[in-house]
Amino acid sequence: MAFRHQKVESRRLLLREISQRGPLPRIDLADRTGISRATVTSITAELLRGGLIEEVPRDSTGDDTPRGRPRVDLKIAGRAHLIAGLKVADDCISLVLMDFDGADVAHHERRIEPRRYTPEELADEISQGLSGLAAKAECTLSDISGVGVGLAGVVDAGNGLVYWSPSLDRRNVPFGTVLSQHLGIAAYVDNDANLVAIAELTFGIGKDHSDFIVITIESGVGMGMVLGGQLYRGTRGCGAEFGHTKVHLDGALCRCGQRGCLEAYVADYAVVREAVSVGAVSQMASTPKAVTAVLAAAKAGDPTARTVIERAGKMFALGLANLVNIFDPERIILAGEQMQFDHLYADVVIEEMRKSIVDIDKPAPDVVVHRWDTFMWARGGAAYALEFVQDTAVEALEDA
Amino acid sequence: MAFRHQKVESRRLLLREISQRGPLPRIDLADRTGISRATVTSITAELLRGGLIEEVPRDSTGDDTPRGRPRVDLKIAGRAHLIAGLKVADDCISLVLMDFDGADVAHHERRIEPRRYTPEELADEISQGLSGLAAKAECTLSDISGVGVGLAGVVDAGNGLVYWSPSLDRRNVPFGTVLSQHLGIAAYVDNDANLVAIAELTFGIGKDHSDFIVITIESGVGMGMVLGGQLYRGTRGCGAEFGHTKVHLDGALCRCGQRGCLEAYVADYAVVREAVSVGAVSQMASTPKAVTAVLAAAKAGDPTARTVIERAGKMFALGLANLVNIFDPERIILAGEQMQFDHLYADVVIEEMRKSIVDIDKPAPDVVVHRWDTFMWARGGAAYALEFVQDTAVEALEDA
C-alpha cells in the first residue's frame, strides 16, 4: 500500500515536472526531482505506455552532443485529455478548452443576463457554454476530463463551497458538487483571482517566481497569493481578500456593507459615485461608460475629475504598500484586461507605493503590469482543473 | 554523498520530532514521520550513542499494555547542549539559558543605557550579559553551543543582516557575523517579533496550529507569521511589517518618517502625543508613565483621554481586520508583557475587528491574548538557535 502510494507520488511528480519544464531529457528529470535514474526510466515507461507523455526528437540547436546519436526529450501528450476552464462574469461566461499539454484548443463566450442565479440555473448556463465550446472543438461534453470554474466572491476551493458570490442568489452553495452532478464531469470551483494567480504560475510571468501576488482589477479588486510556489488560500479557504481590506477608518461605504474598504475608493462604481456627486460627469446607465467619461475628463484637465482619479490611485498605492510590508513578495503582478483601469496601473501609483513601504537598502519588489485577453481567467480555470486531471490520470495508470 | 545526506536528514527529522512530541515510543516516530521502523531503530541508536537523546521508562498511566513488560520512550537529553537566547530592548538585555530539551536553566537581565550602539559596542554588551548568565548557571561561555538574538527593526535573518534597528547606530550591519566572531559562539539574529512567533510555535499556544499570526505590543507593534507550520519571512527577509502598514492616507506622522502608519496611532508615543497636544495629560519625562496617565484619565471618565484611547483601539482593530482578510489565519495571538497596552487587548477592540472582516458563515479566527513574563522574547531566541544547534549536532554524529 505504502509502496503503491509512493509510486503514484513519483508519477505525479514526474508528470508535473514534464508538464512545467518539458520537453526535457530523462536525465534532467532525475536531477530536478531527486528521483533515481532507474526509477525515472521505469516510471516514464509507464507514463509513455499510458499515453500521458510522448517522446520527441531533441532540438539540438546549441547542443554540443556529438552528431549522429539520436536523442529524445519527453513531453506531455497533448491529446491524452481535454480540460475546460471558464470564468463567470457579470454578463458573460468565457470558456477555454485546453489539451493535456496546456495548449488552447477552442474558445467560446456565452452572454448571460446580469443577475443572480440559482445554483441549478447557473450550472445550466455553464453547461450550455460548455456545449458551445465542445461544438467549436468538434467534440462532446463526455470528451472533457475536468472543468475549472472561476467565480467572483468568497470560495472555499478545497470543498467547492461558495460562501457567497455576486453570481449566485444564496450563500454557502456546494457549487462544485452541484456542477459535477449537473455536468457529469468533475468540476473544481475557485475564486476567480486565485485562478489568475494559477494561470500566472502555470503559463504566465509568475512561472519563474515562488513568491508573488497577483492583483486583478475589474469592477472589483481581486488578489491571489503564491507563497513558496503554492497558491495560499488561508485556513477557512477565504484569504487574499484585498478589495475589502480597510484603507480608511469609518470611510466610504462599500457594496459589502462595511466602510472604508479599498474597493469603496478604487472600484468603478466608487469612482463614478464620487464624480457624479459633484457633477464632474452626469449619471449614466452604464458604469464602464461613466468611468471612461471621468477618465477622459481628468485627462482633459478637469480638476474635479483629476482629484477623483488621483485619490483612487493613492488609495490603491496605499493598499499595495501594505501588501509589500506584510508579505515582502518578489513581485506584484497587476493583471487585467480592461483599459479602463489604466489610472491604477500608472507609474505614479507604483511610485507612490514605493514611498509607502518600509525603507531598506534593497530594491522594492518588481511591479509588473500584465494585460490579458479576456480568456486568461478561463485559462487559469483550466490550469487549476489540469492538476486534478493529472492526479486522476496517474492514479488510473496500470502498474508495469 | 546522497546517502549520507539522506541519513543526516532522517536524523534531523527524528530529533525534531522527539524534541516537539517527546517523550514518545519508537513506533510513534515511524508513524509520524513515515520513516520505516528499521530505519527509526538504527537512527535512534545513533542519536542515543551520540548522547542527543535518552530512554526513559514509559509513563504507563492509562496505558493498556500488559504489566511486566518494560517499555521505554525516547526524549531529548537535556544535558547534551546549552543554548542561550536574548532580546535587546531599549534599556536592558534579557537573557535565558536553556538546555537541549528546551528547559530553562538560568535567567539574567543586564541594564543598558538607552541609546544607539556601534555593532562592536552592542556585541560587547551582549557578551557581558552572557557572562552574567553563564555565572548564574555556573558554566562558562564556551559551554554554550549557540545564541539566538532578537532585535527590534528589520532583519534578514537568513544572512544575519540587520537592515536597521533602533539599537544600532548604522544600517546594513552583518550583526550575526560580528557577534559570532566577538563571542566565539555561533550567533543567530532575527527580528524580535519573529522570535516570539517561534516561541509560540515551540513552547506556546501556537504549538498545535500551523497558520497563525503573533502580534507583539511594546512601544512599537511587531508581527510574526507562521504559515504551514513555518515562520514566513518574505523574500527580502523583511516581511511581516505590521506596525508600518498604513491605516490612513497622509495620516499621522510616524517615527519612521512616513505618514499614516499603524504605529503612529497605537504606539505609546502616539497616544501620549495626542493626549498632550490638547492638554489631557501634561508632558512627562517618561513615555510609559505618560501612557499610564492617559489610560488612568480615560478610565476615570475624562472624555478627551477616552477619545484618544478609543481611536488607538479602532485603528488597531482595523489593522487586525486587514490581516484576517489577507491571511485568513486559524488564530491571532496578541502577545506582550506590559499591562500598559491593556486597551489594545480589550474585547471591544476584538469585536470591532470582527465587524471589519469579510463576512462568511464560519467563525472568525480565534483571537487569544497571551501575557508573558519578560523572558519569553529571550526564550524565542533560544528556540531559534536550538534548531541550528540540533542541525549541527546531527551533522557531527559519527556514522554507526
Side-chain angles (χ1 to χ4, degrees):
Chain A
M1 213 35 219
F3 176 71
R4 164 82 192 167
H5 174 73
Q6 204 174 348
K7 185 172 206 168
V8 170
E9 263 314 302
S10 300
R11 284 179 190 159
R12 193 190 312 263
L13 193 62
L14 292 178
L15 189 67
R16 200 145 294 171
E17 200 64 29
I18 297 168
S19 173
Q20 282 168 7
R21 309 283 162 193
L24 82 178
R26 285 176 176 79
I27 177 114
D28 284 14
L29 280 174
D31 291 350
R32 283 183 165 278
T33 59
I35 296 174
S36 74
R37 293 187 195 185
T39 307
V40 166
T41 302
S42 81
I43 288 187
T44 53
E46 289 175 359
L47 297 174
L48 279 164
R49 202 160 34 235
L52 301 182
I53 62 172
E54 58 195 25
E55 290 182 327
V56 288
R58 171 90 42 89
D59 172 12
S60 58
T61 324
D63 198 342
D64 56 1
T65 51
R67 280 174 169 277
R69 287 179 66 185
R71 298 258 176 140
V72 293
D73 283 342
L74 298 173
K75 70 176 281 290
I76 297 292
R79 69 192 173 285
H81 289 277
L82 287 172
I83 298 101
L86 63 94
K87 143 135 176 158
V88 179
D90 272 5
D91 56 355
C92 86
I93 300 175
S94 52
L95 306 98
V96 161
L97 195 65
M98 205 173 255
D99 75 10
F100 199 49
D101 197 22
D104 283 16
V105 174
H107 296 167
H108 184 58
E109 266 191 313
R110 179 179 169 79
R111 291 277 134 200
I112 58 171
E113 211 184 308
R115 64 171 173 92
R116 290 172 174 271
Y117 289 81
T118 70
E120 275 301 325
E121 282 171 354
L122 189 61
D124 196 55
E125 291 289 349
I126 289 173
S127 172
Q128 308 260 356
L130 284 168
S131 296
L133 182 71
K136 284 194 181 161
E138 294 176 7
C139 70
T140 64
L141 282 194
S142 60
D143 295 323
I144 299 175
S145 304
V147 180
V149 176
L151 292 177
V154 185
V155 181
D156 174 357
N159 294 307
L161 177 69
V162 181
Y163 288 119
W164 65 263
S165 163
S167 302
L168 287 167
D169 69 348
R170 65 200 71 180
R171 296 167 75 93
N172 305 315
V173 178
F175 195 61
T177 309
V178 170
L179 193 57
S180 296
Q181 282 170 359
H182 193 101
L183 299 173
I185 308 172
Y188 309 96
V189 182
D190 203 347
N191 166 273
D192 52 1
N194 277 349
L195 295 184
V196 174
I198 291 174
E200 288 288 11
L201 186 65
T202 314
F203 316 112
I205 56 179
K207 206 168 170 173
D208 300 315
H209 294 265
S210 62
D211 296 80
F212 63 89
I213 289 174
V214 175
I215 309 287
T216 61
I217 309 171
E218 270 199 314
S219 55
V221 178
M223 170 161 80
M225 297 189 275
V226 173
L227 303 181
Q230 300 255 306
L231 194 75
Y232 179 81
R233 294 178 191 280
T235 59
R236 295 174 302 164
C238 66
E241 266 304 328
F242 181 51
H244 300 284
T245 57
K246 305 295 177 285
V247 293
H248 201 306
L249 182 65
D250 294 332
L253 188 62
C254 181
R255 284 189 298 193
C256 76
Q258 298 181 358
R259 285 196 173 276
C261 299
L262 180 60
E263 282 196 8
Y265 295 93
V266 308
D268 51 5
Y269 80 90
V271 166
V272 171
R273 171 172 68 186
E274 270 229 299
V276 167
S277 73
V278 292
V281 298
S282 53
Q283 188 73 57
M284 297 182 201
S286 138
T287 305
K289 271 190 194 150
V291 175
T292 309
V294 181
L295 282 170
K299 277 181 193 153
D302 179 297
T304 310
R306 273 183 110 129
T307 304
V308 170
I309 294 302
E310 273 172 23
R311 187 176 72 168
K314 280 185 180 174
M315 285 298 194
F316 189 60
L318 187 155
L320 289 181
N322 285 350
L323 291 180
V324 173
N325 279 339
I326 290 172
F327 276 110
D328 184 24
E330 281 178 275
R331 105 182 322 193
I332 293 179
I333 302 173
L334 303 180
E337 50 190 271
Q338 294 177 55
M339 298 304 286
Q340 112 194 44
F341 295 101
D342 254 11
H343 58 291
L344 297 180
Y345 297 153
D347 288 346
V348 58
V349 170
I350 294 166
E351 190 47 39
E352 192 76 34
M353 177 210 86
R354 285 191 219 281
K355 278 193 248 160
S356 299
I357 63 179
V358 168
D359 179 30
I360 60 166
D361 298 321
K362 257 195 174 177
D366 266 355
V367 180
V368 187
V369 175
H370 192 194
R371 285 207 171 70
W372 273 0
D373 68 74
T374 173
F375 290 101
M376 206 62 185
W377 302 88
R379 265 182 218 115
Y384 181 49
L386 177 60
E387 286 184 31
F388 294 98
V389 173
Q390 285 174 343
D391 289 354
T392 309
V394 294
E395 266 162 37
L397 274 190
E398 276 173 38
D399 292 343
Chain B
M1 211 40 216
F3 176 70
R4 164 82 192 167
H5 174 72
Q6 204 173 346
K7 184 172 207 168
V8 169
E9 262 314 302
S10 301
R11 284 180 190 159
R12 194 190 312 262
L13 194 61
L14 292 178
L15 189 67
R16 201 146 292 173
E17 199 63 31
I18 297 168
S19 172
Q20 283 169 6
R21 308 283 163 194
L24 83 178
R26 285 176 175 80
I27 177 118
D28 284 14
L29 281 174
D31 291 350
R32 283 182 166 279
T33 60
I35 295 174
S36 76
R37 293 187 195 186
T39 308
V40 166
T41 302
S42 81
I43 288 187
T44 53
E46 289 176 358
L47 297 174
L48 279 164
R49 204 161 31 238
L52 301 181
I53 62 171
E54 57 194 26
E55 290 182 328
V56 288
R58 171 91 42 87
D59 172 12
S60 58
T61 324
D63 197 344
D64 57 359
T65 51
R67 280 175 169 276
R69 286 180 69 187
R71 300 259 173 137
V72 293
D73 282 344
L74 297 173
K75 69 177 282 290
I76 297 292
R79 70 191 173 285
H81 288 278
L82 287 173
I83 298 102
L86 62 94
K87 142 134 175 160
V88 179
D90 272 5
D91 56 356
C92 86
I93 300 176
S94 51
L95 307 99
V96 160
L97 196 65
M98 207 174 253
D99 74 11
F100 199 50
D101 197 22
D104 282 17
V105 174
H107 296 166
H108 184 58
E109 266 191 312
R110 179 179 168 80
R111 292 276 132 197
I112 58 171
E113 211 184 308
R115 65 172 173 92
R116 290 171 175 272
Y117 289 81
T118 69
E120 275 302 324
E121 282 170 354
L122 189 61
D124 196 55
E125 291 289 350
I126 289 173
S127 173
Q128 308 261 355
L130 284 169
S131 296
L133 182 70
K136 284 195 179 160
E138 295 177 7
C139 70
T140 65
L141 282 195
S142 61
D143 295 324
I144 300 174
S145 304
V147 179
V149 176
L151 292 177
V154 185
V155 181
D156 175 357
N159 295 307
L161 177 69
V162 180
Y163 288 120
W164 65 263
S165 164
S167 303
L168 287 167
D169 70 347
R170 66 201 70 179
R171 294 167 75 94
N172 305 315
V173 178
F175 195 62
T177 309
V178 171
L179 193 57
S180 296
Q181 282 170 359
H182 193 100
L183 299 173
I185 309 172
Y188 309 96
V189 182
D190 202 346
N191 166 272
D192 51 3
N194 278 350
L195 295 185
V196 174
I198 291 174
E200 288 290 9
L201 186 64
T202 314
F203 316 112
I205 55 179
K207 205 166 171 176
D208 300 316
H209 294 265
S210 63
D211 296 80
F212 63 90
I213 289 174
V214 175
I215 309 287
T216 61
I217 310 171
E218 270 199 312
S219 55
V221 178
M223 172 161 81
M225 296 188 276
V226 173
L227 303 179
Q230 299 253 306
L231 194 76
Y232 179 80
R233 295 178 191 281
T235 59
R236 296 175 301 164
C238 67
E241 266 303 330
F242 181 50
H244 300 283
T245 57
K246 304 294 178 284
V247 293
H248 200 307
L249 182 64
D250 294 332
L253 188 61
C254 181
R255 285 189 297 192
C256 77
Q258 298 181 358
R259 285 196 174 276
C261 299
L262 180 61
E263 282 197 7
Y265 295 93
V266 308
D268 50 6
Y269 81 89
V271 167
V272 171
R273 171 173 68 186
E274 270 229 301
V276 167
S277 74
V278 292
V281 298
S282 52
Q283 188 74 57
M284 297 182 202
S286 137
T287 304
K289 271 190 195 149
V291 175
T292 309
V294 181
L295 282 170
K299 278 181 191 153
D302 180 297
T304 310
R306 273 183 110 127
T307 304
V308 170
I309 294 301
E310 273 171 23
R311 187 177 72 169
K314 280 184 180 174
M315 285 297 195
F316 189 61
L318 187 155
L320 288 181
N322 285 350
L323 291 181
V324 173
N325 280 340
I326 291 172
F327 276 109
D328 184 24
E330 282 177 274
R331 101 181 327 192
I332 293 179
I333 302 172
L334 304 179
E337 48 189 274
Q338 293 176 57
M339 297 305 286
Q340 109 194 48
F341 295 100
D342 255 11
H343 59 290
L344 297 180
Y345 297 153
D347 288 347
V348 57
V349 171
I350 294 166
E351 189 48 41
E352 191 77 27
M353 176 211 87
R354 284 192 220 281
K355 278 193 247 158
S356 298
I357 63 180
V358 168
D359 179 31
I360 60 167
D361 298 320
K362 255 195 177 180
D366 265 354
V367 180
V368 186
V369 175
H370 192 193
R371 285 204 173 74
W372 274 0
D373 68 75
T374 172
F375 289 102
M376 206 62 183
W377 304 87
R379 263 181 220 116
Y384 181 48
L386 177 60
E387 286 184 31
F388 293 99
V389 173
Q390 286 174 343
D391 290 355
T392 309
V394 295
E395 266 162 37
L397 274 190
E398 277 175 37
D399 292 343

